[in-house]
């Protein structure tokens, strides 16, 4: 495995290093050979020498010369995405402007404006002006701005990220967590959207290797163990199909490939099943070599061969031949019942479709030349452009919206006249209304979907025909933000609400002005700011709004002093420190968390409610505004979002041994409803293991019982022992820890 390979320390001498760099450069040229035109070699040489010279004193964390990174990124661009010479030059230079003395002007002088523009798109924004904006989100926004002009930016960025993920071993743990989270949160979905399925799967697998190491190794081990029997099964499944294809003289390839570790793990989580119960651990792929004009016919013919042999699950048929995905993906997928009662997914595509599936956007352009229809990609870029031009958008919101609106799979919905609109999965009738026009959206009161009346929150499905019903009296309200998923609709609703809020706030502004003038204080920016801070509100607008809707009655103004015409807030009374939810706490000498680089006893921290960490869990600290430090588990449902958006607020933390404090955690127990089973459970927890039970609910129906037990444990080891012992009780099926207060 790769992990053992990373152990030897890097120790090449200068001579060996030069040879290695040259070897990599030659391999890059070999990969580019079919694309080289006269003069290209010289340009590449210039770019390579420029980058090698600029990075010559730099090393990567692993100790190797930095230039090997741009070279590797360039090779991924060429070999795995199929990009050409100009992209290779950009890949070689992608870090020079940011990390070395080379400027964009130098690059433009040497290679022209197109390459300079792409390199600029790849250069990170080093200091973000807006304090609230996260640097990652801002950089991402910048990449996307360039993306809509030149999609190569994103393809090079994905290659850069893939190489960083492949070499993540030499990084510090917290850096690994941050980079892996960001990858799985934004870059893997982006690779998917660009049609780069192989890169997407590798990114997800590598992220999981760092974020969920135990589960990753476990699934990898089980996949390795079952490899032989899988191959045997695939061969048995393929045999009859192979014969049929040979009889019809099709030129084809037919093979099975295992699902990625990440997708198997996702299935296990989603369906709450064990590895052994994930039925489609592999997919069979048929790739046909036929001329483009007979593609559809050939794919359906092969589909009929397969379904003659094996029974299909009709609801699992996916026809992306008639309606390709917006990232250009075309194929026919079906799931059939194979030998030994196992479900098998079969994907049927042609050689051209396969190249588009693997090389995504780059291949899409290759085949697009000469095609007249405006590609789905172009429509997609157009939508992103609209949202990027909205100046009001906060960058973190933007990243979140981008994820839900642009990285989700899409559905196709029709207007009453039969025009097609492309929307992300989970879009509602209200999203559709805004997609038609923002006025239609703002006045939408309902819709007819396939001629049936539905509310605005109705979720649309592919193929629906939608007619929007409007009323001049209707106007957007706060709840709409929970209904819409598209970025366009969100930003329009937010604008309308802001406008509405301003109108209401004017009343509050006037009230405040009168009160201040009565006290002899001026109504000015300074005083408005003082009050905003005092009432812990985000902006003066919110202050006026709260006054207007009578949420704030300004009673506290009596405690303020007026110096000149300025307000002086009352001195805060020291609050009594709040204790967390602990039971049987004795005063402890040492704190139970060590926070690196700080003296641990002075730090006030709280445990996050979303994941309820307990000692022994893998955790990180997150600095929140106003609350100090919150401790989250690294596999908390919100972790990837926090780590990828606010990497700069993460604090490295680990537990110190301390048995004096108990932490509350919950377990879900499912089993057969047998006489005395509850007695057995309570006896084991309180009697044998002497663990305190805080609450317990049991529901039994149809011979099964579902129990929720909240217990006080000292640390993860104690919890694990409890889970293990519970699982051994007769009749108990599953025991799972849960984290939220919602249950």
């Amino acid at each position: 495995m790769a992990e053992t390979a990373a152990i030897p320390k890097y120790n090449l001498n200068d001579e060996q290093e030069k040879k290695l760099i040259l070897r990599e450069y030659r391999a890059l040229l070999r990969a580019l050979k079919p694309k080289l035109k006269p003069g290209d070699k010289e340009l590449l040489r210039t770019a390579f020498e420029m980058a090698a010279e600029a990075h010559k004193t730099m090393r990567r964390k692993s100790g190797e010369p930095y230039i090997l990174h741009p070279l590797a990124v360039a090779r991924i661009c060429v070999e795995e995405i199929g990009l050409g010479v100009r992209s290779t030059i950009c890949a070689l230079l992608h870090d020079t402007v940011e990390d070395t003395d080379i400027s964009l002007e130098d690059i433009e002088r040497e290679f022209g404006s197109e390459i300079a523009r792409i390199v600029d798109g790849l250069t990170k924004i080093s200091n973000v002006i807006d304090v609230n904006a996260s640097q990652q989100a801002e950089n991402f926004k910048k990449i996307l701005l360039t993306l809509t002009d030149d999609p190569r930016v994103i393809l090079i960025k994905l290659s850069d990220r893939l190489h960083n993920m492949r070499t993540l071993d030499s990084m510090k743990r917290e850096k690994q967590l941050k980079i892996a989270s960001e990858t799985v949160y934004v870059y893997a979905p982006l690779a998917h959207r660009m049609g780069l399925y192989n890169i997407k799967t590798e990114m997800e697998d590598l992220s999981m290797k760092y974020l969920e190491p135990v589960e990753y190794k476990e699934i990898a081990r089980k996949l390795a163990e079952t490899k032989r029997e899988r191959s045997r099964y695939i061969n048995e499944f393929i045999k009859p199909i192979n014969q049929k294809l040979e009889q019809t003289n099709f030129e084809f390839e037919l093979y099975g490939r295992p699902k990625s570790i990440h997708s198997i793990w996702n299935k296990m989580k989603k369906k709450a099943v064990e590895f052994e119960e994930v039925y489609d651990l592999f997919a069979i792929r048929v790739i046909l070599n036929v001329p483009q004009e007979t593609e559809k016919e050939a794919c359906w013919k092969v589909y009929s061969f397969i379904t003659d042999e094996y029974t299909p699950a009709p609801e699992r048929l996916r026809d992306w031949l008639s309606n390709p995905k917006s990232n250009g993906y075309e194929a026919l997928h079906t799931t059939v019942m194979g030998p030994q009662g196992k479900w098998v997914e079969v994907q049927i595509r042609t050689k051209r479709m396969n190249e588009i599936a693997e090389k995504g956007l780059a291949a899409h352009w290759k085949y697009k030349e000469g095609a007249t229809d405006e590609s789905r990609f172009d429509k997609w870029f157009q939508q992103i452009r609209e949202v990027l031009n909205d100046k009001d958008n906060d960058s973190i919101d933007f990243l979140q919206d981008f994820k839900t609106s642009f990285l989700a799979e899409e559905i196709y919905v029709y207007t009453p006249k039969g025009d097609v609109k492309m929307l992300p999965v989970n879009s509602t009738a209200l999203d559709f209304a805004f997609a038609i026009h923002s006025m239609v959206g703002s006045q939408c009161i309902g819709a007819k979907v396939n001629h049936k009346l539905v509310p605005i929150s109705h979720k649309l499905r592919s193929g629906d025909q939608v007619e929007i019903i409007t009323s001049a009296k209707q106007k957007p309200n706060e709840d709409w933000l929970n209904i819409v998923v598209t970025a366009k609709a969100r930003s329009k609703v937010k604008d309308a609400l802001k406008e509405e809020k301003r109108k209401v706030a004017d009343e509050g502004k006037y009230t405040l002005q009168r009160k201040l003038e009565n006290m002899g204080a001026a109504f000015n920016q300074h005083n408005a700011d003082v009050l905003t801070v005092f009432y812990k509100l985000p902006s003066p607008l919110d202050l006026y709004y709260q006054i207007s809707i009578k949420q704030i009655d300004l009673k506290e103004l009596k405690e303020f002093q007026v110096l000149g015409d300025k307000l002086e807030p009352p001195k805060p009374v020291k609050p009594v420190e709040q204790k967390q939810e602990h039971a049987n706490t004795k005063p402890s000498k040492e704190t139970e968390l060590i926070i690196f680089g700080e003296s641990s006893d002075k730090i006030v921290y709280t445990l996050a409610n979303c994941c309820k960490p307990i000692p022994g869990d893998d955790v990180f600290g997150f600095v929140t505004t106003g609350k100090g430090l919150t401790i989250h588990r690294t596999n908390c449902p919100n972790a990837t979002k926090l780590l990828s958006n606010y990497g700069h607020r993460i604090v490295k933390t680990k537990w110190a041994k301390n048995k004096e404090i108990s932490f509350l955690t919950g377990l879900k127990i499912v089993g057969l409803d047998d006489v005395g089973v509850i007695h057995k459970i309570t006896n084991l927890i309180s009697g044998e293991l002497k663990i305190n039970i805080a609450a317990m609910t049991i529901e039994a129906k149809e011979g099964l019982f579902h129990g929720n037990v909240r217990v006080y444990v000292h640390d993860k080891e104690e919890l694990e022992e409890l889970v293990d012992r519970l699982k051994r009780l007769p009749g108990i099926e599953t025991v799972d820890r849960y984290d939220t207060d919602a249950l």
Side-chain angles (χ1 to χ4, degrees), residues 327-372:
N327 57 21
Y329 182 79
E330 294 174 69
L332 203 51
H333 290 197
T334 179
T335 303
V336 297
M337 177 62 82
Q340 305 160 30
K342 287 186 179 164
W343 289 107
V344 179
E345 186 186 2
V346 184
Q347 303 171 349
I348 306 165
R349 37 170 109 143
T350 62
K351 231 177 147 101
R352 176 189 70 86
M353 295 172 189
N354 194 50
E355 192 176 346
I356 287 181
E358 285 177 357
K359 302 254 169 89
L361 199 63
H364 180 78
W365 258 294
K366 174 175 152 186
Y367 289 106
K368 191 181 126 184
E369 284 155 22
T372 47

Coordinates of all heavy atoms in Angstrom, one line a residue, residues 327-372:
N327 N -23.1 17.6 -17.8 CA -21.6 17.6 -18.0 C -21.2 16.7 -19.2 O -20.1 16.3 -19.4 CB -20.9 17.1 -16.7 CG -21.4 15.7 -16.3 OD1 -22.0 15.0 -17.1 ND2 -21.2 15.4 -15.1
G328 N -22.3 16.4 -20.1 CA -22.0 15.7 -21.3 C -22.0 14.2 -21.2 O -21.9 13.5 -22.2
Y329 N -22.2 13.7 -20.0 CA -22.2 12.2 -19.8 C -23.4 11.5 -20.5 O -24.5 11.9 -20.3 CB -22.3 11.9 -18.3 CG -22.2 10.4 -18.0 CD1 -21.0 9.8 -17.9 CD2 -23.4 9.7 -17.7 CE1 -21.0 8.4 -17.6 CE2 -23.3 8.3 -17.4 CZ -22.1 7.7 -17.4 OH -22.0 6.4 -17.1
E330 N -23.0 10.5 -21.3 CA -24.1 9.8 -22.0 C -23.8 8.3 -21.7 O -22.7 7.8 -21.8 CB -24.0 10.0 -23.5 CG -24.3 11.4 -24.0 CD -24.0 11.5 -25.5 OE1 -24.7 10.9 -26.3 OE2 -23.0 12.2 -25.8
A331 N -24.9 7.5 -21.4 CA -24.7 6.1 -21.2 C -26.1 5.5 -20.9 O -27.1 6.3 -20.7 CB -23.8 5.8 -20.0
L332 N -26.2 4.2 -20.8 CA -27.4 3.5 -20.5 C -27.0 2.7 -19.2 O -26.0 1.9 -19.3 CB -27.8 2.6 -21.6 CG -29.2 2.2 -21.7 CD1 -30.2 3.4 -21.7 CD2 -29.4 1.5 -23.1
H333 N -27.7 2.9 -18.1 CA -27.4 2.1 -16.9 C -28.6 1.2 -16.6 O -29.7 1.7 -16.6 CB -27.1 3.0 -15.7 CG -25.9 3.7 -15.8 ND1 -25.3 4.3 -14.6 CD2 -25.0 4.0 -16.8 CE1 -24.2 4.9 -15.0 NE2 -24.0 4.8 -16.3
T334 N -28.4 0.0 -16.2 CA -29.5 -0.8 -15.7 C -28.9 -1.7 -14.6 O -27.7 -2.0 -14.6 CB -30.1 -1.7 -16.9 OG1 -31.1 -2.4 -16.3 CG2 -29.1 -2.6 -17.5
T335 N -29.8 -2.1 -13.7 CA -29.4 -3.1 -12.6 C -30.2 -4.3 -12.9 O -31.4 -4.3 -13.0 CB -29.7 -2.5 -11.3 OG1 -29.0 -1.2 -11.2 CG2 -29.2 -3.4 -10.2
V336 N -29.5 -5.5 -13.0 CA -30.2 -6.7 -13.2 C -29.9 -7.8 -12.1 O -28.9 -7.7 -11.4 CB -29.8 -7.3 -14.6 CG1 -30.2 -6.4 -15.7 CG2 -28.3 -7.6 -14.7
M337 N -30.8 -8.7 -12.0 CA -30.6 -9.8 -11.0 C -29.7 -10.9 -11.7 O -30.0 -11.6 -12.6 CB -31.9 -10.4 -10.7 CG -31.9 -11.6 -9.7 SD -31.2 -11.1 -8.1 CE -32.6 -10.4 -7.3
G338 N -28.4 -11.0 -11.2 CA -27.5 -11.9 -11.7 C -27.6 -13.3 -11.1 O -28.5 -13.5 -10.3
P339 N -26.6 -14.2 -11.4 CA -26.6 -15.5 -10.8 C -26.5 -15.4 -9.2 O -26.1 -14.3 -8.7 CB -25.3 -16.1 -11.3 CG -24.9 -15.3 -12.5 CD -25.5 -14.0 -12.3
Q340 N -26.9 -16.4 -8.5 CA -26.8 -16.4 -7.0 C -27.7 -15.3 -6.4 O -27.4 -14.9 -5.3 CB -25.4 -16.4 -6.5 CG -24.5 -17.4 -7.0 CD -23.0 -17.0 -6.8 OE1 -22.7 -16.3 -5.9 NE2 -22.2 -17.4 -7.7
G341 N -28.6 -14.8 -7.1 CA -29.5 -13.8 -6.5 C -28.8 -12.5 -6.1 O -29.2 -11.8 -5.1
K342 N -27.8 -12.1 -6.9 CA -27.1 -10.8 -6.6 C -27.5 -9.7 -7.7 O -27.5 -10.0 -8.8 CB -25.6 -11.0 -6.6 CG -25.1 -11.8 -5.4 CD -23.6 -11.8 -5.5 CE -23.1 -12.6 -4.2 NZ -21.7 -13.0 -4.4
W343 N -27.7 -8.5 -7.2 CA -27.9 -7.4 -8.1 C -26.6 -6.9 -8.7 O -25.6 -6.8 -8.0 CB -28.6 -6.2 -7.4 CG -30.0 -6.5 -7.0 CD1 -30.4 -6.6 -5.7 CD2 -31.2 -6.5 -7.8 NE1 -31.8 -6.8 -5.7 CE2 -32.3 -6.7 -7.0 CE3 -31.4 -6.4 -9.2 CZ2 -33.6 -6.8 -7.5 CZ3 -32.6 -6.5 -9.7 CH2 -33.7 -6.7 -8.9
V344 N -26.6 -6.7 -10.0 CA -25.4 -6.2 -10.7 C -25.8 -5.0 -11.6 O -26.8 -5.0 -12.3 CB -24.8 -7.3 -11.6 CG1 -23.6 -6.8 -12.3 CG2 -24.5 -8.6 -10.9
E345 N -25.0 -3.9 -11.4 CA -25.2 -2.8 -12.3 C -24.4 -2.9 -13.6 O -23.3 -3.3 -13.6 CB -24.7 -1.5 -11.6 CG -25.1 -0.3 -12.4 CD -24.5 1.1 -11.8 OE1 -23.8 1.0 -10.8 OE2 -24.8 2.1 -12.4
V346 N -25.1 -2.7 -14.7 CA -24.4 -2.7 -16.0 C -24.5 -1.4 -16.7 O -25.6 -0.7 -16.7 CB -25.2 -3.8 -16.9 CG1 -24.4 -3.9 -18.2 CG2 -25.3 -5.1 -16.2
Q347 N -23.3 -0.9 -17.2 CA -23.3 0.4 -17.8 C -22.9 0.1 -19.3 O -22.0 -0.6 -19.6 CB -22.2 1.3 -17.2 CG -22.4 1.5 -15.7 CD -21.2 2.2 -15.1 OE1 -20.2 2.3 -15.7 NE2 -21.4 2.6 -13.8
I348 N -23.7 0.7 -20.2 CA -23.5 0.5 -21.6 C -23.2 1.8 -22.3 O -23.9 2.8 -22.1 CB -24.8 -0.1 -22.3 CG1 -25.2 -1.4 -21.6 CG2 -24.5 -0.4 -23.8 CD1 -26.7 -1.8 -21.9
R349 N -22.0 1.9 -22.9 CA -21.6 3.1 -23.6 C -20.8 2.8 -24.8 O -20.2 1.8 -24.9 CB -21.0 4.1 -22.6 CG -20.1 3.5 -21.6 CD -19.3 4.6 -20.9 NE -19.7 4.8 -19.5 CZ -18.8 5.1 -18.6 NH1 -17.5 5.2 -18.8 NH2 -19.2 5.3 -17.3
T350 N -20.6 3.8 -25.6 CA -19.7 3.6 -26.8 C -18.3 4.2 -26.4 O -18.2 4.9 -25.4 CB -20.2 4.4 -28.0 OG1 -20.2 5.8 -27.7 CG2 -21.6 3.9 -28.4
K351 N -17.4 4.0 -27.3 CA -16.0 4.5 -27.1 C -16.0 6.0 -26.9 O -15.3 6.5 -26.1 CB -15.1 4.1 -28.3 CG -13.9 3.4 -27.9 CD -13.1 3.0 -29.1 CE -11.6 3.0 -28.8 NZ -11.0 1.8 -28.4
R352 N -16.8 6.7 -27.8 CA -16.8 8.2 -27.7 C -17.4 8.6 -26.3 O -16.8 9.5 -25.7 CB -17.7 8.7 -28.8 CG -17.9 10.2 -28.8 CD -19.0 10.7 -29.7 NE -20.3 10.3 -29.4 CZ -21.1 11.0 -28.5 NH1 -20.7 12.1 -28.0 NH2 -22.3 10.5 -28.2
M353 N -18.5 7.9 -25.9 CA -19.1 8.3 -24.6 C -18.2 8.0 -23.5 O -18.1 8.7 -22.5 CB -20.4 7.4 -24.4 CG -21.5 7.7 -25.4 SD -22.8 6.5 -25.2 CE -23.9 6.9 -26.6
N354 N -17.4 6.9 -23.6 CA -16.5 6.5 -22.6 C -15.4 7.6 -22.4 O -15.0 7.9 -21.3 CB -15.8 5.2 -22.9 CG -15.1 4.6 -21.7 OD1 -15.7 4.5 -20.6 ND2 -13.9 4.2 -21.8
E355 N -14.9 8.1 -23.5 CA -13.9 9.1 -23.4 C -14.4 10.4 -22.8 O -13.8 11.0 -21.9 CB -13.3 9.5 -24.8 CG -12.1 10.3 -24.7 CD -11.4 10.6 -26.0 OE1 -11.7 10.0 -27.1 OE2 -10.5 11.5 -26.1
I356 N -15.7 10.7 -23.1 CA -16.3 11.9 -22.4 C -16.5 11.6 -20.9 O -16.3 12.5 -20.1 CB -17.7 12.2 -23.1 CG1 -17.4 12.8 -24.5 CG2 -18.5 13.2 -22.2 CD1 -18.6 13.3 -25.2
A357 N -16.8 10.3 -20.6 CA -17.0 10.0 -19.2 C -15.7 10.1 -18.4 O -15.6 10.4 -17.2 CB -17.6 8.6 -19.0
E358 N -14.6 9.8 -19.1 CA -13.3 9.8 -18.4 C -12.6 11.2 -18.4 O -11.9 11.6 -17.5 CB -12.4 8.7 -18.9 CG -12.9 7.4 -18.3 CD -12.2 6.2 -18.8 OE1 -11.3 6.3 -19.6 OE2 -12.5 5.1 -18.4
K359 N -12.7 11.8 -19.6 CA -11.9 13.1 -19.8 C -12.8 14.3 -19.7 O -12.4 15.4 -19.8 CB -11.2 13.1 -21.1 CG -10.3 11.9 -21.3 CD -8.8 12.3 -21.2 CE -7.8 11.2 -21.1 NZ -7.4 10.7 -22.4
G360 N -14.1 14.0 -19.4 CA -15.1 15.1 -19.2 C -15.0 16.2 -20.2 O -15.0 16.0 -21.4
L361 N -15.0 17.4 -19.6 CA -15.0 18.7 -20.4 C -14.1 18.7 -21.6 O -14.5 19.1 -22.7 CB -14.6 19.8 -19.4 CG -15.0 21.2 -19.8 CD1 -16.5 21.2 -19.9 CD2 -14.6 22.2 -18.8
A362 N -12.9 18.2 -21.4 CA -11.9 18.3 -22.5 C -12.3 17.5 -23.7 O -12.2 18.0 -24.8 CB -10.5 17.8 -22.0
A363 N -12.8 16.3 -23.4 CA -13.3 15.4 -24.5 C -14.5 16.0 -25.2 O -14.7 16.0 -26.4 CB -13.5 14.0 -24.0
H364 N -15.3 16.6 -24.3 CA -16.6 17.2 -24.8 C -16.3 18.2 -25.9 O -17.0 18.3 -26.9 CB -17.3 17.8 -23.5 CG -18.6 18.4 -23.8 ND1 -19.7 17.7 -23.9 CD2 -18.9 19.7 -23.9 CE1 -20.7 18.5 -24.1 NE2 -20.2 19.8 -24.2
W365 N -15.3 19.0 -25.6 CA -15.0 20.0 -26.7 C -14.4 19.4 -27.9 O -14.7 19.9 -29.0 CB -13.9 21.0 -26.1 CG -14.6 22.3 -25.7 CD1 -15.2 23.2 -26.5 CD2 -14.8 22.7 -24.4 NE1 -15.8 24.2 -25.8 CE2 -15.5 24.0 -24.5 CE3 -14.4 22.3 -23.1 CZ2 -15.8 24.7 -23.4 CZ3 -14.7 23.1 -22.0 CH2 -15.4 24.2 -22.2
K366 N -13.7 18.4 -27.8 CA -13.1 17.7 -28.9 C -14.2 17.2 -29.9 O -14.1 17.4 -31.1 CB -12.3 16.5 -28.4 CG -11.7 15.6 -29.5 CD -10.9 14.5 -28.9 CE -10.9 13.3 -29.8 NZ -10.1 12.2 -29.1
Y367 N -15.3 16.7 -29.3 CA -16.4 16.2 -30.1 C -17.4 17.3 -30.5 O -18.2 17.1 -31.3 CB -17.1 15.1 -29.4 CG -16.3 13.8 -29.3 CD1 -15.7 13.4 -28.1 CD2 -16.1 13.0 -30.4 CE1 -15.0 12.3 -28.0 CE2 -15.3 11.9 -30.3 CZ -14.8 11.5 -29.2 OH -14.0 10.4 -29.1
K368 N -17.3 18.4 -29.8 CA -18.3 19.5 -30.0 C -18.0 20.2 -31.3 O -18.9 20.8 -31.9 CB -18.2 20.4 -28.8 CG -19.4 21.4 -28.7 CD -19.2 22.3 -27.5 CE -19.3 23.7 -28.0 NZ -19.1 24.7 -26.9
E369 N -16.7 20.3 -31.7 CA -16.4 21.1 -32.9 C -17.4 20.6 -34.0 O -17.5 19.5 -34.3 CB -15.0 20.9 -33.3 CG -14.0 21.7 -32.4 CD -12.7 21.1 -32.3 OE1 -12.3 20.3 -33.3 OE2 -12.0 21.3 -31.3
G370 N -18.0 21.6 -34.6 CA -18.9 21.2 -35.7 C -20.3 21.0 -35.3 O -21.3 21.0 -36.0
A371 N -20.5 20.8 -33.9 CA -21.9 20.6 -33.5 C -22.5 22.0 -33.2 O -21.8 22.9 -32.8 CB -21.9 19.8 -32.2
T372 N -23.8 22.1 -33.6 CA -24.3 23.5 -33.5 C -25.0 23.8 -32.2 O -25.1 24.9 -31.8 CB -25.3 23.7 -34.7 OG1 -26.2 22.6 -34.6 CG2 -24.6 23.8 -36.0

